[in-house]
Amino acid sequence: MGDNVENIKKNARSGHARVLIIDDSDLSRRTVAGILEREGFNVVGQAANAEQGMQQAYSTGANVFLIDVVMPDISGIEVANYIRENIKEPRIIMMSSLDIESVIIESISSGAIDFLSKPFEERDLIRAVEKIDIELQKEHG
């Protein structure tokens, strides 16, 4: 019976959300990708740093971006600004272990539509991406 429930979940996803994960933590990227893939979401790429993320924003056709705020060299906020300026209608979710108000405000100002404080509950991640997937389905039929 569990398999049927999993198949129903996966089939319920519209497939419109194409997710790119940008995080310098290998463990964090793999964990997020694993959760989303298990739930039937389309993870189109994983980037280990800001430069890779900005390149993959184009090459993967992603429209949903999960971006870590704190990364070496270029911050996730700068990456979000770049993506917002260069990708049509991106859906950005920022992630950070720094859940101080200024980081959250800066994330939202950079175009993020959601913010996940690390460590986050699986259900919060799933809900955030599911909400976007449903919006995309409504917009694109």
Side-chain angles (χ1 to χ4, degrees):
M1 180 158 158
D3 288 340
N4 288 338
V5 171
E6 290 300 313
N7 287 335
I8 290 168
K9 264 193 226 177
K10 289 179 181 180
N11 290 334
R13 308 289 182 220
S14 76
H16 289 287
R18 296 179 309 279
V19 182
L20 173 61
I21 303 160
I22 306 170
D23 193 326
D24 61 310
S25 164
D26 185 52
L27 177 62
S28 182
R29 279 193 323 276
R30 284 190 323 218
T31 300
V32 169
I35 292 167
L36 294 177
E37 288 171 345
R38 185 186 71 230
E39 290 294 315
F41 292 106
N42 184 12
V43 176
V44 296
Q46 298 181 40
N49 59 50
E51 280 189 34
Q52 282 181 9
M54 290 186 286
Q55 290 170 353
Q56 288 186 33
Y58 292 107
S59 65
T60 61
N63 58 3
V64 179
F65 302 85
L66 287 159
I67 306 170
D68 184 29
V69 171
V70 180
M71 290 189 288
D73 300 328
I74 302 171
S75 78
I77 301 293
E78 291 175 84
V79 174
N81 284 327
Y82 174 86
I83 287 172
R84 186 173 40 84
E85 291 169 7
N86 292 284
I87 301 293
K88 186 179 177 194
E89 299 179 23
R91 302 323 202 271
I92 299 170
I93 299 171
M94 299 301 290
M95 309 177 289
S96 182
S97 55
L98 303 174
D99 65 349
I100 52 178
E101 188 176 348
S102 61
V103 172
I104 297 170
I105 290 169
E106 193 174 8
S107 294
I108 300 303
S109 296
S110 72
I113 59 174
D114 211 337
F115 184 92
L116 296 172
S117 295
K118 291 180 179 180
F120 43 79
E121 298 289 327
E122 281 189 27
R123 69 178 179 269
D124 294 333
L125 171 64
I126 294 164
R127 262 191 228 127
V129 177
E130 191 170 50
K131 188 169 89 174
I132 293 169
D133 192 50
I134 290 167
E135 285 175 13
L136 289 167
Q137 183 177 19
K138 287 177 182 175
E139 288 175 18
H140 302 288

